[in-house]
Amino acid sequence: MGDGPYHVLKVGDAAVGGIMGKPPGTPADMPSMWGCYVTVKNIDQTLATVRQLGGGVLMEPMEVQGVGRMAVIRDPQGAVLSVIQYSM
């Protein structure tokens, strides 16, 4: 998949995932990847807890218009996960 918009994947009317191409400016040798999201009630509180427990925040919260706020975290062992707080 080349550059382009984000596409929402649905089962019936339920959004279950999304897919997009690599953004412009991405290094040519960067591999394609998949990411998993976990829904949280309060993203700021979640990030504070991650830091308190020895993890890290790889990407601070970002507003996704019409969807909510998302961030990327890492646990103390290095595993990466995305979290999202939906605005709906």
Side-chain angles (χ1 to χ4, degrees):
M1 176 172 232
D3 298 341
Y6 185 83
H7 300 278
V8 176
L9 307 174
K10 293 183 175 185
V11 174
D13 290 335
V16 296
I19 191 167
M20 65 180 271
K22 294 177 187 175
T26 302
D29 61 346
M30 182 175 169
S32 296
M33 65 187 80
W34 289 96
C36 297
Y37 288 83
V38 172
T39 302
V40 297
K41 289 184 180 183
N42 183 314
I43 201 161
D44 296 316
Q45 183 178 11
T46 298
L47 299 185
T49 302
V50 166
R51 288 180 172 114
Q52 179 184 9
L53 295 174
V57 178
L58 301 178
M59 185 185 83
E60 293 293 333
M62 175 182 81
E63 185 74 28
V64 180
Q65 188 174 9
V67 177
R69 295 173 67 214
M70 63 162 289
V72 181
I73 60 174
R74 181 185 65 229
D75 73 11
Q77 291 74 37
V80 176
L81 181 69
S82 297
V83 291
I84 188 162
Q85 176 184 342
Y86 288 104
S87 58
M88 305 173 239

